[in-house]
Amino acid sequence: VLLSMLGTFALAAPVLGHTAIPGQPTQPKATTPKATPPSSEMAASRFAPDQDTIRELRMIGDPAPPPLGGTMIKGDPITEWHAGGPTILLFWSPFVGGTEPHLAQLGDLGQQSEKIQTLSIASGPRSRVEQVLESLPGRAPVVPRTILDDTDAWRKAFIEPLGLTTLPAVVALDQNGEVVYHGPMNTAAMALARVCSNNWSSEGYRNTVLEYMARQQASIALVEIRGRVRRGQATADEAVALAEELIELDTRNGGRQISKFDILLTTADRPDDAYAYGRDIAARFPNNYLILNDLAWNTVSLPDVSRRDLDFALEMSRQANAIQGYTDHSVLDTMGRIWWLRGDADEAIRWQLKAVARALGTWHGDSTRANLDAYTNGYLKPGEMPPPYRSPRRQ
């Protein structure tokens, strides 16, 4: 139920009246500045894509076209965008199931607050559209103001330029009639709640999307450069430099720092530097058991490690397990691996039994059980690395 939370915020925005349609006398309209450069270093970095290529950001901050024509099925036509708060446009088709609850909630929202303008925009035969509206769920459902887009004007003005490919879809306009959000209805709940509570920033949204995309591209760049090093197309120093560039852009991202640790340990084959840097990471994230466990696990599991510092791994694993109270099967599994590589089969099996006792019955725990089998079935000697394992249940 994606619109149910919006009524909570319906009284938050001030009532400022209406904005007249183009060509009519009106007071000067407040203008919104053009999109500002991203404030996040990662969002403004070379890893961020061109904003024009991102479907989610199409028309964000741009004025919407004025309300368009069509056949009104329920309620009066909209001739102007509401200036007292946001306007919520719900695009739907009677041939796409599951829309009825959203329509009922849209109707309730439009009735509850004069500060939020709502409009349902349907495409399809009028008889089918009316049939859906007549059978909305609830004891006394409020049929939302609905227009039949029988000329395709709304689709051409919004759906096509915004690149929306899934119905039902939602478009949110601010009090200035500018597009501040759009997307599939099934992912819009939180965004619409913030729009309706006057707690939404189109520039903040732009920044968030760009930052997410930039992080994705940065992760790809790290994988690619390590492959290029293996093929002799780049140097290990270039891989380290790339990792450091990403850390500088995203200083609180512990995963990036783990990536640099991995590159130093394997790609660059600089184990002394890797373990020294690993201790720096541990000092920066002393209470993050996931990062501490990654340092330990990568030390004892990554291939192509010329020198595995098992004392370092044991120290990191003990810290991680202490934080978790020795209850996380994956962290206990790391401890078992460390003792196995140290050559102490009894201690390794003792820890691995603890890990298996905590492991999930799903494929997530299969590798933990496989490691116990490797330590107990006799085909592997203490100190030898177990072979890589992937659960056959994992898709």
Side-chain angles (χ1 to χ4, degrees):
V1 180
L2 297 173
L3 282 167
S4 59
M5 69 175 75
L6 303 187
T8 306
F9 304 107
L11 302 178
V15 176
L16 301 175
H18 291 268
T19 302
I21 60 175
Q24 292 187 355
T26 182
Q27 295 295 321
K29 178 185 173 183
T31 58
T32 300
K34 291 295 183 181
T36 56
S39 57
S40 158
E41 287 190 81
M42 178 60 79
S45 73
R46 65 186 178 96
F47 301 98
D50 183 341
Q51 296 186 38
D52 294 337
T53 67
I54 303 175
R55 185 172 65 187
E56 292 86 348
L57 297 183
R58 291 181 184 174
M59 290 179 65
I60 295 297
D62 291 346
L68 303 161
T71 301
M72 290 304 304
I73 293 180
K74 177 68 176 180
D76 299 325
I78 287 181
T79 57
E80 54 195 12
W81 298 128
H82 188 40
T87 297
I88 307 300
L89 308 176
L90 178 62
F91 292 82
W92 63 284
S93 166
F95 299 110
V96 178
T99 306
E100 291 86 348
H102 304 312
L103 291 168
Q105 292 154 18
L106 191 75
D108 288 341
L109 184 62
Q111 184 183 62
Q112 290 169 10
S113 174
E114 296 179 355
K115 302 175 184 179
I116 301 173
Q117 180 170 258
T118 61
L119 180 64
S120 150
I121 303 162
S123 60
R126 177 168 183 162
S127 59
R128 291 290 297 269
V129 170
E130 290 177 335
Q131 182 180 1
V132 171
L133 295 176
E134 290 170 0
S135 60
L136 296 183
R139 293 184 178 180
V142 178
V143 178
R145 179 161 47 178
T146 298
I147 189 169
L148 182 67
D149 189 21
D150 45 9
T151 65
D152 276 347
W154 291 83
R155 178 181 63 82
K156 292 176 181 177
F158 286 97
I159 296 295
E160 291 180 1
L162 294 173
L164 294 169
T165 58
T166 302
L167 294 180
V170 65
V171 178
L173 312 180
D174 67 7
Q175 66 272 18
N176 295 319
E178 295 178 352
V179 178
V180 293
Y181 178 80
H182 57 83
M185 191 67 225
N186 61 2
T187 61
M190 188 57 66
L192 289 183
R194 292 180 62 191
V195 168
C196 291
S197 66
N198 198 29
N199 188 31
W200 178 263
S201 164
S202 58
E203 289 305 323
Y205 176 60
R206 184 189 307 277
N207 209 57
T208 298
V209 171
L210 285 171
E211 190 168 310
Y212 174 79
M213 297 282 189
R215 285 199 174 103
Q216 297 294 100
Q217 293 300 317
S219 296
I220 293 171
L222 273 175
V223 172
E224 287 180 344
I225 198 168
R226 296 181 74 175
R228 289 170 56 212
V229 172
R230 288 193 294 272
R231 295 190 297 270
Q233 298 170 342
T235 67
D237 287 343
E238 289 174 322
V240 173
L242 176 59
E244 290 174 343
E245 178 186 357
L246 295 176
I247 291 168
E248 186 68 24
L249 288 170
D250 207 4
T251 55
R252 292 191 290 181
N253 188 330
R256 291 282 179 252
Q257 298 180 45
I258 292 293
S259 293
K260 179 183 173 183
F261 171 80
D262 293 349
I263 290 171
L264 288 170
L265 190 61
T266 60
T267 308
D269 192 20
R270 290 159 50 185
D272 290 342
D273 292 340
Y275 297 126
Y277 182 62
R279 293 188 187 281
D280 289 342
I281 296 173
R284 284 190 289 273
F285 300 93
N287 300 313
N288 190 320
Y289 81 95
L290 292 172
I291 288 178
L292 295 169
N293 186 62
D294 281 346
L295 290 169
W297 178 253
N298 292 1
T299 298
V300 296
S301 67
L302 290 178
D304 304 321
V305 176
S306 60
R307 183 174 68 81
R308 302 187 191 275
D309 188 335
L310 299 180
D311 291 336
F312 167 82
L314 185 60
E315 179 184 345
M316 297 299 108
S317 183
R318 281 173 171 165
Q319 290 182 39
N321 273 291
I323 292 169
Q324 281 301 94
Y326 297 87
T327 59
D328 188 296
H329 78 92
S330 62
V331 183
L332 292 166
D333 182 59
T334 301
M335 184 69 84
R337 170 67 59 86
I338 293 167
W339 282 107
W340 183 261
L341 293 186
R342 290 173 75 95
D344 192 330
D346 291 340
E347 191 69 0
I349 292 169
R350 186 174 75 86
W351 283 103
Q352 203 63 32
L353 287 168
K354 293 177 182 289
V356 168
R358 297 280 184 176
L360 301 173
T362 64
W363 66 262
H364 299 83
D366 286 350
S367 63
T368 303
R369 289 180 282 273
N371 283 333
L372 178 61
D373 180 65
Y375 303 156
T376 57
N377 67 12
Y379 77 81
L380 197 68
K381 295 180 181 178
E384 292 180 349
M385 178 73 73
Y389 177 83
R390 180 183 175 87
S391 172
R393 295 195 288 173
R394 183 175 180 179
Q395 299 299 319

